[in-house]
Amino acid sequence: MSTIRITDVYLRDGLQDEDGVVPTEEKLRIAGLLVKARVPAIEVASFVNPKKVPQMADAEAVLAGLVATGLTERVTVSALTLNDRGIDRAVAAGTAVVEIVTSASEAHSRANAGQTIDDALDGLEAAVRRHPGVHFLAGVSTAFTCPFEGEIPAARLAHVVDRFASMGVTEIGLADTLGTTPTDRVIESLGIVRAGHPDAELSLHLHDAHRQALATALAAVEIGVTRFDAALAGFGGCPFAPGAHGNLATEALVRTMHEAGHQTGIDEDALAVAAAAARDAVARAPKIQQTA
């Protein structure tokens, strides 16, 4: 039996590709429901260009609201950034845990961050060193499969992990951004990365195109991975990765881990209430007005 730590990413990844904008007060309400369900960590925003991702334009307001309501004292709160400007914004907003992200695919890096992988990593490293008191996590998008390049060689993934480790960032999430990577290939790549960095705390961020994400999560637990991202009701997707599917649903992951005899500390009944609220918030969200 393992203790599994789940980070719910509905408020960031779950909403970033929707065609409506969930109001800040609704985001705060859902954050409160996640805390009631005893979810130990939530990713609440991304500090990115609001013109490109308008769903995240209220990142500062969300952080301020979480502080004002005292939720940041009851749950680990993180926010995602893609570049040095995003890091500076996140730190200025009082984010205690900042996730820095780049791609393992050059083509996706250019689409998502407008830079090559190494240029993006150089900028992230400079910003990390400017903020020595901040707790940084790292994420690798398209860690296994890219919509533009196909299968990502494990050696390239290992290079990105090497760069993050050289910055002193050793909590690293690997994302199956499309949700199409077969379980055996995810496990193979995990093994290669772990061989190079046995002390790193690796996690998985699984999307779910072919209903294989739960099998992948269970296989990963068998080799010692105990940290996972998931999103309420399976919402999510990357706006800059054509064909990306929704995240592994938090409630499905929790139920499956409990059935397998693992512990999460999460209340399934309270989590179902949060998932229902998540669906309702998206259904009622005002649609983004498209400009010519």
Side-chain angles (χ1 to χ4, degrees):
M1 181 176 67
S2 299
T3 298
I4 307 301
R5 181 177 173 84
I6 295 172
T7 298
D8 187 275
V9 300
Y10 166 83
L11 293 171
R12 195 276 302 175
D13 191 339
L15 298 179
Q16 69 179 5
D17 201 27
E18 290 297 318
D19 60 1
V21 176
V22 173
T24 304
E25 58 270 21
E26 279 291 291
K27 294 180 179 180
L28 296 175
R29 184 172 74 89
I30 292 168
L33 293 173
L34 284 166
V35 172
K36 286 184 179 179
R38 300 197 299 273
V39 174
I42 56 177
E43 188 178 78
V44 301
S46 59
F47 286 86
V48 294
N49 187 338
K51 293 181 179 179
K52 292 185 176 181
V53 189
Q55 298 89 338
M56 296 292 111
D58 63 346
E60 281 88 354
V62 169
L63 262 296
L66 291 170
V67 171
T69 56
L71 289 179
T72 52
E73 298 176 6
R74 300 171 59 192
V75 65
T76 299
V77 170
S78 63
L80 179 144
T81 62
L82 297 175
N83 52 42
D84 55 346
R85 295 184 301 280
I87 291 174
D88 291 342
R89 283 180 60 201
V91 172
T95 310
V97 180
V98 178
E99 182 176 6
I100 54 176
V101 176
T102 194
S103 302
S105 154
E106 289 288 358
H108 183 258
S109 182
R110 292 182 183 278
N112 194 44
Q115 302 179 85
T116 67
I117 294 171
D118 281 326
D119 284 347
L121 286 165
D122 288 344
L124 291 171
E125 182 170 8
V128 166
R129 303 211 184 280
R130 282 202 307 273
H131 300 289
V134 175
H135 182 178
F136 285 101
L137 313 176
V140 185
S141 300
T142 60
F144 313 105
T145 306
C146 170
F148 310 109
E149 298 181 15
E151 184 174 330
I152 298 298
R156 193 190 307 169
L157 171 60
H159 166 71
V160 176
V161 173
D162 288 345
R163 286 291 309 272
F164 280 132
S166 72
M167 303 177 201
V169 181
T170 57
E171 295 178 56
I172 302 171
L174 309 181
D176 184 21
T177 303
L178 294 185
T180 59
T181 308
T183 294
D184 58 352
R185 194 153 63 77
V186 172
I187 299 304
E188 179 183 2
S189 292
L190 273 171
I192 291 170
V193 171
R194 291 180 77 190
H197 297 279
D199 296 327
E201 185 71 56
L202 299 180
S203 63
L204 283 177
H205 177 108
L206 299 171
H207 291 249
D208 198 18
H210 304 310
R211 297 296 182 265
Q212 84 287 355
L214 285 171
T216 300
L218 287 171
V221 172
E222 290 299 312
I223 65 167
V225 176
T226 58
R227 295 189 179 198
F228 298 90
D229 290 349
L232 287 171
F235 282 101
C238 176
F240 307 104
H245 287 71
N247 284 279
L248 174 57
T250 304
E251 57 272 25
L253 178 59
V254 171
R255 181 176 63 251
T256 298
M257 289 299 169
H258 288 175
E259 290 173 349
H262 304 301
Q263 297 179 342
T264 69
I266 295 173
D267 181 326
E268 290 190 56
D269 291 336
L271 188 64
V273 173
R279 294 187 192 95
D280 182 60
V282 169
R284 293 188 293 105
K287 302 305 179 186
I288 298 169
Q289 296 298 314
Q290 301 295 330
T291 58

